[in-house]
């Protein structure tokens, strides 16, 4: 039940970010673009964009593949995609834990910066492998725990509460694909890189995270907004990371992977 309630909260957070998402999606554009070369070089495939959001890459995938389906748990994101994107075969409102798709029916699942919101990643991977055909590919990016270490450090000098979500570690991601014996798969390739975005100030960073719907922290103890005094202390602490040019950096550690479903 707690996991289910958390997924509902995440969906509402992304609902509220629908109109601001594309303006704030610098990281998503970068990672999604660099994921495209991992896709198969064939046109006659059925492809899922899992966590399609506003459909930017769903529309792009539709120019490359015969049938492209967008899946997202945010109804407002899907409504935006329906209105503003072209060429997409269909859109499905669902979360990654329960895909309303037949076993062994999909050639490729593309997922750009979505699975980091899934607490039980093993369960999600099993569901992805269930719907993939043998030989099918799961191509994805996710965020690792070192993401936003500057913001974590700054808040750590203020209090012990959780202000920034903790993502999984690299070894945890790798282990997930090594422990699905009933649905064997192979992690063919993966890469980890730090993407550093620059901000005018800490509020610029905070507004961008909110604009992406990425400001929901399920383990936060104090559910209210931090007081003005705490924010000022955090901003002061963040100044330790200011670059010589005066910009505020924020590091996103990105994991990109290519997984193939093996024959039983």
């Amino acid at each position: 039940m707690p996991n289910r309630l958390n997924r509902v909260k995440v969906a509402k957070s992304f609902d509220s970010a629908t109109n601001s998402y594309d303006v704030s999606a610098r990281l998503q554009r970068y990672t999604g673009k660099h994921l495209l070369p991992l896709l198969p070089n064939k046109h006659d495939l059925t492809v899922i964009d899992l966590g399609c959001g506003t459909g930017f890459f769903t529309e792009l995938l539709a120019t490359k593949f015969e049938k492209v389906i967008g899946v997202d748990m945010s109804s407002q994101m899907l409504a935006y995609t329906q209105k503003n994107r072209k060429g997409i075969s269909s859109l499905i409102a669902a979360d990654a834990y329960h895909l309303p798709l037949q076993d062994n029916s999909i050639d490729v699942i593309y997922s750009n910066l979505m699975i980091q919101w899934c607490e039980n990643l093993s369960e999600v991977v099993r569901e992805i492998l269930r719907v993939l055909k043998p030989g099918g590919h799961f191509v994805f990016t996710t965020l690792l725990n070192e993401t936003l270490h500057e913001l974590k450090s700054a808040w750590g000098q203020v209090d012990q509460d959780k202000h920034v979500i903790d993502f999984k570690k690299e070894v945890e991601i790798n282990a997930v694909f090594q422990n699905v014996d009933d649905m064997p798969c192979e992690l063919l390739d993966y890469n980890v890189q730090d993407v550093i975005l620059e901000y005018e100030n800490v509020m610029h960073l905070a507004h961008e995270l909110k604009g992406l719907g990425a400001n929901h922290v399920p383990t936060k103890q104090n559910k209210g907004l931090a007081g003005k005094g705490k924010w000022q202390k955090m901003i002061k602490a963040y100044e330790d990371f200011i670059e010589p040019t005066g910009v505020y950096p924020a590091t996103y550690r990105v994991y990109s992977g290519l997984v193939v479903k093996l024959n039983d």
Side-chain angles (χ1 to χ4, degrees):
M1 180 63 72
N3 286 348
R4 174 60 185 168
L5 290 175
N6 184 50
R7 294 205 293 273
V8 170
K9 291 178 181 178
V10 171
K12 289 182 177 179
S13 182
F14 282 104
D15 277 345
S16 66
T18 298
N19 293 323
S20 61
Y21 190 89
D22 283 344
V23 175
S24 302
R26 293 187 291 163
L27 179 67
Q28 286 77 2
R29 296 290 183 266
Y30 177 89
T31 58
K33 175 182 176 182
H34 284 77
L35 200 55
L36 296 175
L38 297 180
L39 294 168
N41 190 24
K42 289 180 63 178
H43 174 69
D44 59 337
L45 300 176
T46 298
V47 177
I48 295 291
D49 184 0
L50 184 59
C52 64
T54 59
F56 180 88
F57 283 105
T58 327
E59 184 178 50
L60 183 57
L61 291 169
T63 68
K64 298 176 178 291
F65 298 105
E66 188 173 272
K67 185 177 182 180
V68 174
I69 302 167
V71 177
D72 204 283
M73 63 180 180
S74 168
S75 58
Q76 292 192 32
M77 289 278 194
L78 291 174
Y80 181 97
T81 301
Q82 180 72 42
K83 181 179 178 181
N84 295 282
R85 309 300 184 189
K86 299 178 181 179
I88 300 168
S89 302
S90 60
L91 297 171
I92 298 174
D95 68 38
Y97 294 87
H98 305 95
L99 298 173
L101 300 163
Q102 294 182 350
D103 296 357
N104 307 312
S105 61
I106 304 299
D107 296 295
V108 178
I109 294 181
Y110 169 99
S111 184
N112 179 37
L113 293 186
M114 186 284 294
I115 64 171
Q116 69 269 10
W117 307 116
C118 302
E119 293 180 61
N120 191 334
L121 184 55
S122 295
E123 187 177 334
V124 167
V125 168
R126 288 178 183 276
E127 181 68 352
I128 286 169
L129 293 173
R130 178 187 68 79
V131 303
L132 276 178
K133 297 177 181 178
H137 289 74
F138 175 41
V139 181
F140 69 97
T141 56
T142 188
L143 295 175
L144 296 179
N145 195 47
E146 296 82 356
T147 291
L148 296 174
H149 71 83
E150 301 94 344
L151 187 58
K152 288 181 180 180
S153 175
W155 273 119
Q157 296 182 49
V158 177
D159 60 31
Q160 299 304 308
D161 201 356
K162 284 288 184 185
H163 297 272
V164 185
I165 190 170
D166 285 328
F167 299 115
K168 289 180 171 56
K169 299 176 182 178
E170 179 181 338
V171 293
E172 293 177 296
I173 302 292
N174 291 342
V176 167
F177 297 106
Q178 296 167 357
N179 294 291
V180 279
D181 295 337
D182 54 329
M183 292 186 194
C185 65
E186 183 178 352
L187 180 62
L188 293 181
D189 187 26
Y190 82 93
N191 180 61
V192 175
Q193 70 171 127
D194 285 339
V195 180
I196 301 175
L197 299 185
E198 297 180 337
Y199 297 85
E200 297 175 7
N201 49 49
V202 177
M203 292 307 298
H204 181 197
L205 169 60
H207 286 146
E208 183 164 287
L209 292 175
K210 184 176 181 180
L212 292 170
N215 56 336
H216 173 62
V217 183
T219 55
K220 193 175 190 299
Q221 296 174 10
N222 182 2
K223 299 303 181 181
L225 296 173
K228 184 177 180 181
K230 285 189 174 183
W231 266 95
Q232 289 176 337
K233 289 181 181 179
M234 183 274 287
I235 291 171
K236 180 64 177 177
Y238 207 112
E239 290 177 357
D240 291 343
F241 300 100
I242 295 178
E243 297 176 353
T245 55
V247 300
Y248 289 67
T251 302
Y252 300 84
R253 182 156 293 181
V254 179
Y255 181 117
S256 55
L258 169 60
V259 176
V260 63
K261 179 180 178 179
L262 303 176
N263 293 316
D264 295 336

